[in-house]
Amino acid sequence: MALGLIRPVVSRLGQSALVLLAMSFVVYGLMGLMPGDPIDLMIAGDPRLTAADALRLKALYGLDRPWIERWLGWLTQALQGEFGYSRLYALPVAAAMLPAIANTALLMVSALTLSLAIAIPLGLWAARKPGSAADILVNLLAFASVSVPVFWLGLMLIVLFSVSLGWLPAGGLNTIGGPDSLGDRLAHLALPVSTLALAGLGQFARHMRAAMIVESGRDYIRTARAKGCSPVRVLLRHQLRNALLPVVTIVALEIGGLFSGALVTETVFAWPGMGRLIYASVMGNDFNLALSGLLLATAMTLVGSVLADLAYWQLDPRVRGR
Amino acid sequence: MKAPLSLLAGAALLLLLTAATLAGPLLLPDPEAMDLAVRLGPPSADHLLGTDELGRDVLARLVQGGRVSLAVAALTATLAALFGTAIGLLAGYVGGRIDSALMRLTDGVMALPLLPLLIVLAAADPVRLGIPPDLAASEPVAVARLAIIVACVSWTGVARLVRGSTLSVRARDHVRAAEALGAGPMRVMVRHILPDVASPVVVAATLSVGHVILIESALSFLGLGLRPPLASWGNMLTGAMDVVWTAPAMAIWPGAAIFITVLAFNLLGEGLQRRLAPSLCRR
């Protein structure tokens, strides 16, 4: 499979690089429109600065040049791995982002796994008899999951499990000052992951159901039954394997949406991930961090969807030959 | 043909919601009137759903927030539908390079993590674009600003559906006849293709309203959409989150309102899809 894959993967990665380039350009321009100017902030912080000092500072940081020129300067630096300094975290941008990337990846991968682990059986169950009570129930559940605002779902879980029952912590990575144990970390992971997984599973369950119904009418199912395969084997070995293909495509398309959900979830649960970092840096006028964070989030999303496409190639021999 | 149950349920829910937001202000107290003596008060005869952290009537604010949220959603969905239809028609009818460029753009926007991007867009200061500060802070401008920002990223679904339908309509006899009679591309697209793709536009626009409400409420929740004192369901939840340990019930109503509204639009959209464009049922 390896050789046939190189071309499409290279072209997809090339497209992704173009998207990132265009995005850095647009976002760089938008940053200039945000309220608050780093020099103004410095002047506010130190009343002894004069207007002449401000001009000198502007020249020092290159803020007196047109923004296209500044963007080119930023790009040259970024391509050499220099993303600048985060004022908010008082760290180089890469160092500020590193732990956040790991936290978001943990949150998103766990949520996606849980979501699929629930949605696939639900889709199978609903597709067994279209129009049955089970089908209607799953359909309602899917509608609810697609329609629920993620932040409210998170708040409701906090109200139920943290405020009323007191079973689970309401936010953070672990208990501050407490012993750093696996159980404690898992307890802190439970609510954010459930929130994100519940909000995503409706989409997956609907597509799973639809794909199973389409596949159930195919000739190969009848052949498998005719040769005496047990119903369970037909369902799991024949029908499910084919029906999973469209679900893989949906997963690839949904990664961007999952990241948006993760941003809101991280805000509600004080989870120190990329989403919260981007939000905090935009609100705190930390341009370097905001720009790099946004580009990194986009890059993660694009790479995620390329990976899902690779999985598709791996799963479906028919597209490999092309 | 019997109307699908989801269509009826969605329409009924929306009628109820609209009636409530229209009739509410006549019957309820002023949503911005504070009564600091009854902060976070329980439900009572004066305040049916209790009062918030500043002693304002929760039900009245819920109704005011609903009016604003629905207005933003309607405006956004209309803008997105107009833009998406234009892109879809152009891509589907002209074809070739323009088609592939427009569809690349559509796929590109669809794949982006939209919320972080919207945060940057929403954080841009309208004053720096030359809009006077007092005008920029007024309610209609705030609503329009939010609608335009959200519409920038929510036109993709409509564009794809319209392009698909345009491709099939383009080959029909009446379009070929119009072309043979010498009608220009603009006229063919607007007069001959647009009426035939109207139902997918309606379906896609309705389905997008739910999505738009979710985005708007998330932005307002994060403090970047509609800002207090203007109530919106999203920013009411920001207030509720701060008092979740002392008054957990505060968080229930605004979110439930968003949930029910989005559910209603999704049900309505699916019902319309079954009724108007059954061929699009499997997207």
Side-chain angles (χ1 to χ4, degrees):
Chain A
M1 63 156 241
L3 279 177
L5 271 182
I6 291 173
R7 270 192 60 155
V9 169
V10 166
S11 97
R12 283 288 305 270
L13 289 178
Q15 280 175 26
S16 307
L18 273 181
V19 170
L20 286 177
L21 193 69
M23 202 156 145
S24 77
F25 184 73
V26 174
V27 173
Y28 203 94
L30 282 170
M31 297 278 173
L33 291 176
M34 283 185 201
D37 183 290
I39 305 295
D40 291 346
L41 286 176
M42 279 187 197
I43 294 172
D46 185 351
R48 282 171 305 170
L49 283 177
T50 61
D53 291 332
L55 279 178
R56 211 151 15 86
L57 277 172
K58 282 198 176 176
L60 179 67
Y61 290 108
L63 290 172
D64 52 348
R65 288 179 291 148
W67 70 270
I68 298 212
E69 221 174 282
R70 279 187 282 142
W71 173 71
L72 282 174
W74 174 86
L75 190 67
T76 328
Q77 295 265 297
L79 289 176
Q80 293 163 7
E82 270 305 317
F83 295 100
Y85 200 75
S86 156
R87 282 189 296 117
L88 208 59
Y89 290 75
L91 280 173
V93 163
M97 287 197 304
L98 211 60
I101 298 170
N103 290 335
T104 294
L106 175 66
L107 178 64
M108 282 176 66
V109 171
S110 324
L112 189 61
T113 313
L114 181 63
S115 198
L116 288 172
I118 302 172
I120 291 173
L122 276 183
L124 285 183
W125 190 43
R128 268 172 39 140
K129 247 194 199 164
S132 66
D135 188 24
I136 292 170
L137 187 70
V138 171
N139 210 355
L140 280 178
L141 205 69
F143 260 116
S145 151
V146 174
S147 308
V148 76
V150 181
F151 50 98
W152 181 64
L153 183 61
L155 270 175
M156 288 295 102
L157 291 180
I158 290 180
V159 166
L160 184 61
F161 290 103
S162 309
V163 179
S164 303
L165 298 171
W167 290 353
L168 289 165
L173 273 184
N174 49 7
T175 310
I176 295 173
D180 189 12
S181 66
L182 183 67
D184 184 51
R185 284 188 172 250
L186 286 178
H188 280 82
L189 201 55
L191 288 185
V193 167
S194 313
T195 304
L196 201 49
L198 284 175
L201 69 85
Q203 187 81 278
F204 298 139
R206 282 168 93 171
H207 282 95
M208 189 69 228
R209 172 188 173 273
M212 283 301 280
I213 290 174
V214 169
E215 293 300 325
S216 69
R218 294 277 160 92
D219 287 344
Y220 70 88
I221 299 287
R222 200 167 359 129
T223 310
R225 285 214 186 100
K227 75 179 185 188
C229 272
S230 72
V232 174
R233 196 181 157 86
V234 172
L235 191 76
L236 297 182
R237 291 295 294 271
H238 295 260
Q239 199 177 345
L240 177 62
R241 285 177 72 168
N242 282 298
L244 278 177
L245 288 173
V247 177
V248 172
T249 314
I250 295 302
V251 171
L253 286 174
E254 281 296 308
I255 291 177
L258 194 66
F259 188 88
S260 298
L263 190 153
V264 179
T265 312
E266 286 169 8
T267 314
V268 174
F269 291 99
W271 185 263
M274 283 302 291
R276 223 167 85 102
L277 182 118
I278 294 173
Y279 175 60
S281 59
V282 170
M283 299 307 272
N285 283 313
D286 192 342
F287 296 152
N288 286 335
L289 190 61
L291 182 56
S292 303
L294 195 61
L295 290 177
L296 187 77
T298 314
M300 275 165 77
T301 310
L302 294 172
V303 167
S305 63
V306 172
L307 283 181
D309 273 355
L310 277 181
Y312 197 99
W313 267 304
Q314 183 62 38
L315 290 171
D316 189 350
R318 285 170 299 184
V319 297
R320 267 183 242 161
R322 286 180 208 161
Chain B
M1 193 163 110
K2 214 176 77 181
L5 195 63
S6 49
L7 183 72
L8 295 177
L13 272 177
L14 282 178
L15 273 178
L16 259 172
L17 282 165
T18 318
T21 50
L22 291 180
L26 305 175
L27 309 170
L28 294 163
D30 176 8
E32 281 168 29
M34 292 182 246
D35 183 357
L36 295 175
V38 287
R39 279 155 53 184
L40 298 173
S44 64
D46 287 340
H47 306 287
L48 288 176
L49 293 179
T51 51
D52 71 359
E53 69 276 15
L54 294 174
R56 296 171 296 197
D57 186 76
V58 169
L59 184 59
R61 287 186 71 71
L62 213 53
V63 166
Q64 192 203 23
R67 183 177 61 77
V68 176
S69 294
L70 285 175
V72 174
L75 189 60
T76 312
T78 313
L79 286 175
L82 284 175
F83 194 47
T85 308
I87 299 249
L89 264 180
L90 201 63
Y93 184 68
V94 178
R97 286 237 177 107
I98 292 184
D99 180 26
S100 68
L102 287 176
M103 283 303 111
R104 282 265 165 85
L105 179 73
T106 311
D107 290 344
V109 172
M110 273 181 141
L112 293 178
L114 295 179
L115 199 56
L117 192 61
L118 284 169
I119 288 177
V120 175
L121 282 172
D125 188 353
V127 177
R128 295 209 174 192
L129 287 172
I131 297 170
D134 44 331
L135 184 65
S138 69
E139 183 184 328
V141 175
V143 166
R145 187 171 101 91
L146 188 60
I148 291 170
I149 290 171
V150 179
C152 281
V153 298
S154 12
W155 51 272
T156 51
V158 177
R160 286 178 71 123
L161 265 182
V162 170
R163 173 184 173 266
S165 312
T166 304
L167 283 179
S168 72
V169 173
R170 189 173 68 166
R172 286 192 196 155
D173 287 342
H174 72 275
V175 176
R176 310 270 304 271
E179 284 168 347
L181 287 170
M186 226 17 231
R187 192 180 163 86
V188 172
M189 278 192 280
V190 175
R191 295 290 297 273
H192 300 278
I193 297 182
L194 191 57
D196 280 15
V197 299
S199 18
V201 171
V202 170
V203 169
T206 314
L207 284 171
S208 77
V209 179
H211 194 62
V212 161
I213 295 178
L214 287 180
I215 297 179
E216 180 269 311
S217 62
L219 277 177
S220 297
F221 174 70
L222 293 172
L224 285 161
L226 296 165
R227 281 161 228 211
L230 195 61
S232 88
W233 290 336
N235 71 30
M236 288 176 73
L237 278 168
T238 320
M241 191 166 85
D242 295 335
V243 293
V244 72
W245 291 95
T246 43
M250 283 277 302
I252 296 175
W253 298 111
I258 302 171
F259 179 45
I260 291 169
T261 313
V262 176
L263 194 67
F265 274 107
N266 283 340
L267 286 169
L268 184 72
E270 204 201 63
L272 282 175
Q273 189 169 37
R274 290 199 179 173
R275 187 71 196 259
L276 294 176
S279 62
L280 298 170
C281 267
R282 276 202 71 246
R283 277 193 299 160

